[in-house]
Amino acid sequence: MKLTFWGASQQVTGSMFLLESDDYRILIDCGSDFDLDEIGKKTRYEQQKSVFPFEPSLINTVLLTHAHIDHSGNIPNLYKEGFEGRVVCTEPTMALTSLLLKDAANLHQKRLNSRVNSKKRSGKKKREVPMDYYVEKHVIEAMDNFVPVAFGQRYRIADNVTVTYYAAGHLLGAAHIVLEVYEDGEKKRLCFSGDIGRKNYPLLIDPQEIPQVDYLICESTYGNRLHEDKRGTVETLADVIKRTCIDIPGRLIIPSFSVGRTQALLYTLNKLYLDRSFPYIKVFSDSPLAHSSTKVYQKHSRMLNKEARDFKEENDMLFDFENLIYLESADASRAVSNYNEPCIIISSSGMVQGGRVEAHVEANIGNPYATILMIGYASEGTLGWRLLNGQDTISIRGKQYPVLANIEKIDVFSGHGDQNDLINFVKMQDPEKLKRVFLVHGEQQSMAEFQSKIQEIGYHSVETPLRGTTYEL
């Protein structure tokens, strides 16, 4: 049996791992790589003549841990290049993946149109289509091959391979995947962690325990960090709103990922307004994708944690409350700038890199009565990262602005488990029985520190694979 690491290898995004047993090939995740710049992508594509470093038509099955685009974003390209198998995942993951891939297809179309218009203005006629480009038609064709499975039920994908999905927290439907592979009369167990959630997170059930395995492929996003906020989500958010919208008549802008993070925010706000009787402050949810994702959460509310289910039974609605307004159109989004009362604006993207939130930040960066609240991770170089680094002036869409707005950060809404959560995940395994740990999905420093931590507690065979490295298991 061979395992090759084709993504999220000493970097965060692009999750993609190829497991080969006899003549059967399983791809675990098929994510978009956001850590590679356009020049790097072009070079890689020219060398490979493909989005992938392997022949897609030879893959038999894809196992998807969860819907986030760095885990699912290249699935349509896999089918474009000849894959004919199925994608196995949980039912909520299937629904959320459909939304995210269609959103990605729309972004691909906008970027292609922008390139075409740029070439027309420069007098160039050649229309270069990026190799990883796909449209909604490709997404629909891919989604026709998705197969939903339930948590905790063993599912046979080949004569000698079964898979079981365990709830990972992190996102509705997210899973740890445990594979049982039979070779030469011997059973080998592997676990792919996906993204590990945290306990007591709004809406989501706690990550489930996994059985003993032989090989553990573990994410390390927060491998060198601990969550700073010790209070709960309601207390932390209440404090921010009181200071920014009640004590002073200001506006609070919260960049937030549309899938997962926004639902946790809206649920917390609903609880806050019902339980704390806060003053009537308008809340604008400015993301059509977030609105669609919220409907998926409502549909699958039976899979949420007990607190959320009880809240829904008592109050009927998890997310909708009297002062919440969903902004669907771009015109409605722009019109919020003319709203002069204290308000909360929740908009994507979470890293303030493109999306409607960039316009909200641009309109309010010079307003000393505005607060921009960062609630999650922002990659180096993004506008969110630059805001967090305390710059006096900042460039947005080519223009320089003085930073007069207040910039704050909380991490209580982060969907990733921190270093302690990751250590506890590894500690489910007996170090005498676990043959090897592979660390993925993290920056190099995070991986290195996490590797040292778990080696200190007795897990000695810990690898941090480079992209393209193959291991015989």
Side-chain angles (χ1 to χ4, degrees):
M1 182 167 58
K2 294 191 297 184
L3 176 61
T4 306
F5 294 82
W6 286 122
S9 300
Q10 299 199 9
Q11 66 178 50
V12 176
T13 65
S15 183
M16 188 161 57
F17 316 109
L18 178 60
L19 183 67
E20 301 172 80
S21 175
D22 296 329
D23 291 327
Y24 201 84
R25 296 172 179 84
I26 304 164
L27 196 65
I28 296 90
D29 284 346
C30 189
S32 297
D33 186 343
F34 299 114
D35 291 275
L36 197 65
D37 60 23
E38 288 301 315
I39 295 174
K41 282 184 179 180
K42 186 175 182 181
T43 302
R44 181 183 291 179
Y45 296 158
E46 286 174 349
Q47 291 172 345
Q48 298 168 184
K49 309 296 183 186
S50 168
V51 174
F52 304 98
F54 49 79
E55 174 51 56
S57 64
L58 297 179
I59 302 297
N60 298 98
T61 300
V62 173
L63 305 178
L64 180 58
T65 59
H66 66 286
H68 281 148
I69 211 76
D70 60 322
H71 293 256
S72 68
N74 263 323
I75 290 175
N77 287 319
L78 200 69
Y79 283 98
K80 274 178 62 183
E81 294 195 28
F83 174 58
E84 295 180 343
R86 60 203 161 169
V87 177
V88 181
C89 62
T90 65
E91 190 175 354
T93 293
M94 184 169 71
L96 292 174
T97 299
S98 178
L99 295 177
L100 280 163
L101 292 180
K102 287 175 182 177
D103 184 67
N106 289 334
L107 288 175
H108 288 182
Q109 187 65 63
K110 288 177 182 177
R111 287 172 185 155
L112 182 62
N113 291 343
S114 176
R115 290 187 187 191
V116 170
N117 292 334
S118 176
K119 289 185 181 298
K120 284 181 179 177
R121 286 192 296 269
S122 65
K124 296 179 181 178
K125 293 183 180 180
K126 187 177 179 181
R127 186 182 187 226
E128 292 183 3
V129 179
M131 197 169 291
D132 59 352
Y133 168 83
Y134 54 81
V135 296
E136 188 168 328
K137 178 190 75 163
H138 299 125
V139 175
I140 294 170
E141 290 171 353
M143 294 307 304
D144 284 343
N145 295 284
F146 274 55
V147 176
V149 296
F151 284 126
Q153 294 186 7
R154 187 178 279 110
Y155 181 77
R156 186 170 297 281
I157 58 175
D159 289 341
N160 66 325
V161 183
T162 63
V163 60
T164 307
Y165 282 63
Y166 296 85
H170 181 67
L171 181 71
L172 179 66
H176 309 308
I177 292 176
V178 174
L179 281 158
E180 294 179 325
V181 183
Y182 295 84
E183 283 187 332
D184 301 323
E186 182 184 1
K187 181 172 72 173
K188 299 174 184 177
R189 274 185 170 180
L190 303 87
C191 174
F192 294 84
S193 73
D195 286 357
I196 299 167
R198 49 197 297 196
K199 292 182 178 180
N200 303 314
Y201 191 78
L203 298 170
L204 302 179
I205 61 176
D206 290 346
Q208 291 180 320
E209 289 194 15
I210 58 169
Q212 180 66 46
V213 296
D214 300 299
Y215 301 96
L216 181 65
I217 297 85
C218 183
E219 69 115 324
S220 55
T221 312
Y222 273 68
N224 64 341
R225 284 171 283 174
L226 297 175
H227 291 305
E228 297 171 2
D229 294 309
K230 304 304 179 187
R231 295 176 297 174
T233 52
V234 172
E235 291 78 9
T236 303
L237 192 58
D239 174 65
V240 175
I241 294 171
K242 183 178 183 299
R243 289 188 288 102
T244 60
C245 296
I246 297 174
D247 293 347
I248 61 170
R251 61 170 49 192
L252 178 62
I253 299 162
I254 309 178
S256 177
F257 295 112
S258 297
V259 182
R261 205 69 54 87
T262 294
Q263 288 71 44
L265 267 173
L266 292 178
Y267 171 63
T268 303
L269 283 166
N270 195 3
K271 290 175 65 179
L272 197 155
Y273 283 113
L274 281 172
D275 299 341
R276 300 293 180 92
S277 301
F278 259 40
Y280 187 90
I281 301 169
K282 278 275 198 314
V283 177
F284 297 101
S285 180
D286 190 14
S287 166
L289 176 58
H291 195 186
S292 299
S293 302
T294 299
K295 292 177 181 177
V296 173
Y297 270 67
Q298 289 171 332
K299 180 180 178 182
H300 295 280
S301 60
R302 71 188 187 282
M303 300 182 72
L304 301 177
N305 62 33
K306 185 177 185 304
E307 180 188 60
R309 297 196 307 271
D310 290 346
F311 183 90
K312 183 176 185 294
E313 185 175 344
E314 183 178 347
N315 300 286
D316 193 39
M317 298 301 292
L318 281 168
F319 307 105
D320 290 336
F321 43 93
E322 187 179 357
N323 46 324
L324 172 64
I325 298 173
Y326 289 101
L327 304 176
E328 295 292 349
S329 69
D331 288 340
S333 176
R334 286 188 289 268
V336 172
S337 295
N338 300 319
Y339 185 79
N340 294 320
E341 298 295 322
C343 65
I344 300 167
I345 302 170
I346 304 169
S347 187
S348 61
S349 71
M351 298 188 191
V352 202
Q353 194 69 6
R356 293 182 180 183
V357 74
E358 194 170 288
H360 292 301
V361 170
E362 185 176 17
N364 291 278
I365 195 70
N367 177 6
Y369 289 96
T371 298
I372 300 166
L373 178 66
M374 300 297 296
I375 63 169
Y377 174 78
S379 296
E380 185 173 345
T382 61
L383 179 52
W385 179 84
R386 286 182 280 136
L387 288 169
L388 288 170
N389 274 267
Q391 299 179 10
D392 294 330
T393 62
I394 204 154
S395 175
I396 304 175
R397 307 187 195 192
K399 295 181 181 179
Q400 289 289 331
Y401 295 91
V403 179
L404 301 180
N406 304 293
I407 313 298
E408 294 194 22
K409 178 186 178 182
I410 57 176
D411 65 4
V412 71
F413 286 99
S414 170
H416 278 278
D418 66 8
Q419 185 187 80
N420 287 336
D421 295 310
L422 298 181
I423 288 173
N424 289 334
F425 180 77
V426 174
K427 285 171 70 175
M428 293 180 195
Q429 303 299 312
D430 183 339
E432 299 301 320
K433 297 178 180 178
L434 186 64
K435 294 178 181 177
R436 195 172 293 180
V437 180
F438 299 99
L439 299 184
V440 296
H441 202 292
E443 295 170 344
Q444 291 184 25
Q445 183 178 353
S446 178
M447 282 188 181
E449 291 190 31
F450 186 50
Q451 181 182 33
S452 296
K453 281 284 184 183
I454 58 178
Q455 285 175 334
E456 287 173 7
I457 58 174
Y459 298 87
H460 301 296
S461 184
V462 184
E463 306 279 351
T464 57
L466 291 169
R467 185 180 186 276
T469 306
T470 298
Y471 293 84
E472 290 280 349
L473 306 182

